[in-house]
Amino acid sequence: MKHIISLLMENEAGGLSRVAGLFSARGYNIESLTVAPTEDPTLSRMTLVTSGSDEVIEQIIKQLNKLVDVVKVLDLNEGRHIERELMLVKVKATGAYRDEMKSMADIFRGRIIDVADGTFTIELTGSSSKLDAFLETVDKTAILETVRTGSSGIGRGDRILKV
Amino acid sequence: MELTGAEIVIHCLAEEGVKFVFGYPGGAVLNIYDEIFKQDKFQHILVRHEQAAVHAADAYARATGQVGVALVTSGPGATNAVTGIATAYMDSIPLVVISGQVPTPAIGMDAFQEVDMVGITRPCVKHNFLVKDVRELATTIKKAFYIASSGRPGPVVVDIPKDVTAHLTTYEYPKSVHLRSYNPVVKGHSGQIKKALKLLLEAKRPMIYAGGGVVLGDAAGQLVKLARKLGYPVTNTLMGLGGYPASDKQFVGMLGMHGTYEANMSMQECDVLLAVGARFDDRVIGNPDHFTSTPRTIIHVDIDPSSISKRVKVDVPIVGNLVDVLTEMNKLLEEGGKPDANALKAWWSQIDGWRSKLCLDYITSDTVIKPQAVIQELWRATKGDAFVTSDVGQHQMWAAQYYGFDKPRRWLNSGGLGTMGVGLPYAMGAQFAFPDAQVACVTGEGSIQMNIQELSTCKQFELPIKIILLNNRYLGMVRQWQEFFYNNRYAESYVEALPDFVKLAEAYGHVGMKIEKPGDVEGAMKEAFGPGLKNRLVFMDFITDQSENVFPMIPNGKGLSEMILAEEL
C-alpha cells in the first residue's frame, strides 16, 4: 500500500543523502521525495512517498527515526491528511489543440502560465492521482514535456508535525 | 584561550578521558600528530595499517565498555579504516574515528589523498560529521562521543580538514550536549514489563535468549539474577557469550548455525521466549518462516526499536535500556509470582534429553591434532579466564563452542560483519586495556595473514599476546561449505605456499612454536602461558586435522531444528 511519510530533519549538509541512502541500502521503495527548509530555517521538511507491507512501513518509520539528524517522523496515512503535487505540462497548442487544451486546463482547475505560438504550459496542482488523470485524459501525442514535484503532504485539522 | 583545531582535538580527547588513540599519521593529520608529540594525556599506539587501528580501538571498547578512538589520515588512510568501522557498526561498538581531510578549499577538487569520507562511511556509521569550521570542532567531538556511547552504541566518524586543524578559536569544551533530534529511550514501558513477566510465569516451556546487547549494556548481572530466580534455560548468541556463565547448569550453550542441539531445539520448541539484546538474525534462527511455523509468544527487550519485529514478529516489545528493564523485572519478581514448577520440571527433562545427544563430542585422535582439543587445552591453561579474540571461520566457531566464557567482555570477535583479520588487532586492543591479563588470539592461517603486519606493533609495545593458530592449510569454513554443498569442489580454499610461521614470528622478534602432535599440545600451551614466556608474544602454529568440520550445523536457509550433527555423517 502507498504511504506518505512526512519528516522533519536538521537542515544540514548531507541530510537528503542520509535518507536516500537508507532507502537504497535497505531496498525500500521510493516513489517520490520532496524536501525544502521550513519556516524555521534550521529544519527541513521532507515528504516521502513509498509503498510496502505494514511490516516494511513499520521498519521504514523506525529506521528513519534512527537517523541521528531526523527530529520527527509521521506516517500521514495513519490519519486524515491532504496530499498535493505540482505539475507543469507543456502541450501542443496548435489548431484544434488550442481550444481543447484551454478547456482541459479549466476542467482540471489548472492555469496556463506560458503561452507561445505553438505551445501552452499548464500548471496543475492536486493529488498525484489527479495529475495522472489529466495526463491520461489529454491526447498523448500533444504532451511535449512534463515536470512534477512529487507529493507534499500535511495532516488535517490539528494534526501538526512541528518541533 | 585561543587554540588551534589540532590542539582542540587533543584537549577534547583528554576531557573525554581517552587513554589510548590507535592511529597512523599522514599529510592531512600532521597538525594533530604534532600536538600528540607535545602532550602526555593519552598514549598514541602506532599500528602498521589503519584497519588494525580501528579494530584495536574497537576491541578496547568491547573489553572495557569505554569509547574506542582511532585516528587516520585522509584518502587511503580513511578508506583503510572503513572495514574496521563497518565491523564495529555491525556489532554496535562505541567508537570515535577521527579522519583527516584535505583542506576545505581543496574539497571536491580531486586533491591528493582526497576521498569523501562522510559519503563513504554513511551506511556503516551511527553518525558522521565533516567539521568545516574550527568553532564547531569541540562541540562536534562532544557530540561524537555522546552519540557513539548512548542508546544503541556505534561508530561515529569525525572528518576534519587540514586547514581546520590549523585555524584558531576560543576553546571551551561543553559539559554536556543536547540534540533535539536524538533522544534514545532509556526506561522500558512498565505496563509492558508487567505483561512480560506475567507471560513468563505462565509459561510451560520458557526460554531466555540473550544476545550481545546484554554484554554491551552491562546487563549480565541482572540477567543472571532473573534467570536463576526463574530457573529457566538460557542460551547466548555468538555475540552474547559470557553474558550468562557457560559453566552454569541453566546454560544450554550457544544457539544458531553452529549452536548446540539443546539450545536450538529449546529455542524452536519453547512456548514463551524472552529475547534480550538479540536480533533474531539469519545466523541465529535460520529460516524465519520455519522458526515461526512453531507457535510461541515472544517478548523482546532491546534498546533499538528497529531491532524489534524486523525479522520475526514480536508479541510483547519492550524498548529500553536492558539493565533498567531487567532490574524492574527482578523487582516485580521479588514482589511475588512463581513459575509453574511441574511444567518446568517436564521441560528440563525434555531439554536434558536433547543434551544427552552430546552434540559437541568429537572423535579424538592421538595421531592428528583436533582443533577442538586445542581450544579445550587453551581453556585449561588459562583457567577459563582469558580474553579470547578470534578471527572468522571454523576456528571462531570452535573457540565459541569449546571455550566456556563465564564473564562478559572476554570474548571478542566479529559477529555481524564477519571480518577476517580482526583477531590480532582485537588482541592488541584487549591487551592495552588489561596489560596484566592473559590474552589469546584464536585464528586460522587464512585470517592471521590479513593483519599479520601487526606483529610489528606487538613487538614495539611488547604485548604478550598468545596466538593460537589452528592451521589446517584450508580456508576451513569455505572448505566445509564446499564439502557439504558443492560436492567437494574445493575452489580456491586450499592455501598453498604458507609461510613458516615460526620463522615469521621470530623475524618480528617474537617466540614461535610449531606443534604437530596431539601429545605436545598440553605442554606447548603450558609453556606459552607459563612464567618463562609471560612477557613474550608466543605464536603457536598448531597443525590440525584438515578434514575436521564444525558441528552441529544448520544449512543455509534451513530451520533451527534441521541441524546436521557429527554423528549423522
Side-chain angles (χ1 to χ4, degrees), chain B residues 509-530:
Chain B
H510 302 303
V511 178
M513 292 181 185
K514 186 170 186 173
I515 304 99
E516 296 178 271
K517 294 195 195 89
D520 295 340
V521 173
E522 186 185 349
M525 203 70 90
K526 277 192 175 145
E527 189 189 347
F529 284 95

Side-chain angles (χ1 to χ4, degrees), chain A residues 32-149:
Chain A
S32 74
L33 190 164
T34 70
V35 59
T38 65
E39 77 284 2
D40 171 356
T42 66
L43 284 172
S44 282
R45 168 99 176 213
M46 206 177 279
T47 309
L48 281 149
V49 179
T50 183
S51 57
S53 63
D54 288 352
E55 290 76 24
V56 169
I57 299 296
E58 186 185 330
Q59 264 300 311
I60 289 175
I61 305 271
K62 284 175 171 177
Q63 293 291 347
L64 285 170
N65 267 312
K66 204 166 142 179
L67 292 175
V68 168
D69 277 344
V70 170
V71 185
K72 270 189 180 169
V73 183
L74 180 68
D75 180 358
L76 286 175
N77 290 56
E78 283 178 356
R80 299 197 309 141
H81 64 276
I82 302 161
E83 172 206 348
R84 287 289 180 274
E85 181 175 359
L86 172 71
M87 174 168 71
L88 304 177
V89 198
K90 190 169 285 182
V91 292
K92 274 187 203 163
T94 48
Y97 278 134
R98 224 162 162 88
D99 278 348
E100 189 193 328
M101 290 304 168
K102 172 77 177 67
S103 72
M104 286 304 289
D106 287 342
I107 292 166
F108 280 84
R109 294 189 200 168
R111 292 196 304 148
I112 295 168
I113 53 171
D114 183 58
V115 178
D117 266 358
T119 68
F120 283 161
T121 300
I122 303 168
E123 174 197 311
L124 269 169
T125 314
S127 66
S128 301
S129 52
K130 174 181 156 180
L131 306 189
D132 293 342
F134 177 84
L135 295 175
E136 279 160 23
T137 311
V138 298
D139 182 350
K140 302 240 168 346
T141 59
I143 300 171
L144 300 171
E145 187 181 352
T146 64
V147 52
R148 298 171 69 151
T149 59

Side-chain angles (χ1 to χ4, degrees), chain B residues 460-474:
Chain B
Q460 182 176 341
F461 295 93
E462 295 294 352
L463 301 177
I465 294 162
K466 312 301 176 212
I467 296 172
I468 317 294
L469 169 60
L470 302 179
N471 186 347
N472 61 3
R473 286 80 75 209
Y474 273 103

Side-chain angles (χ1 to χ4, degrees), chain B residues 26 82 175 177 185 200 249 355 422 497 499 504 517 528:
Chain B
V82 171
K175 288 221 160 30
V177 70
V185 180
L200 273 173
K249 62 182 190 317
R355 269 178 167 165
V422 297
L504 185 78
K517 294 195 195 89

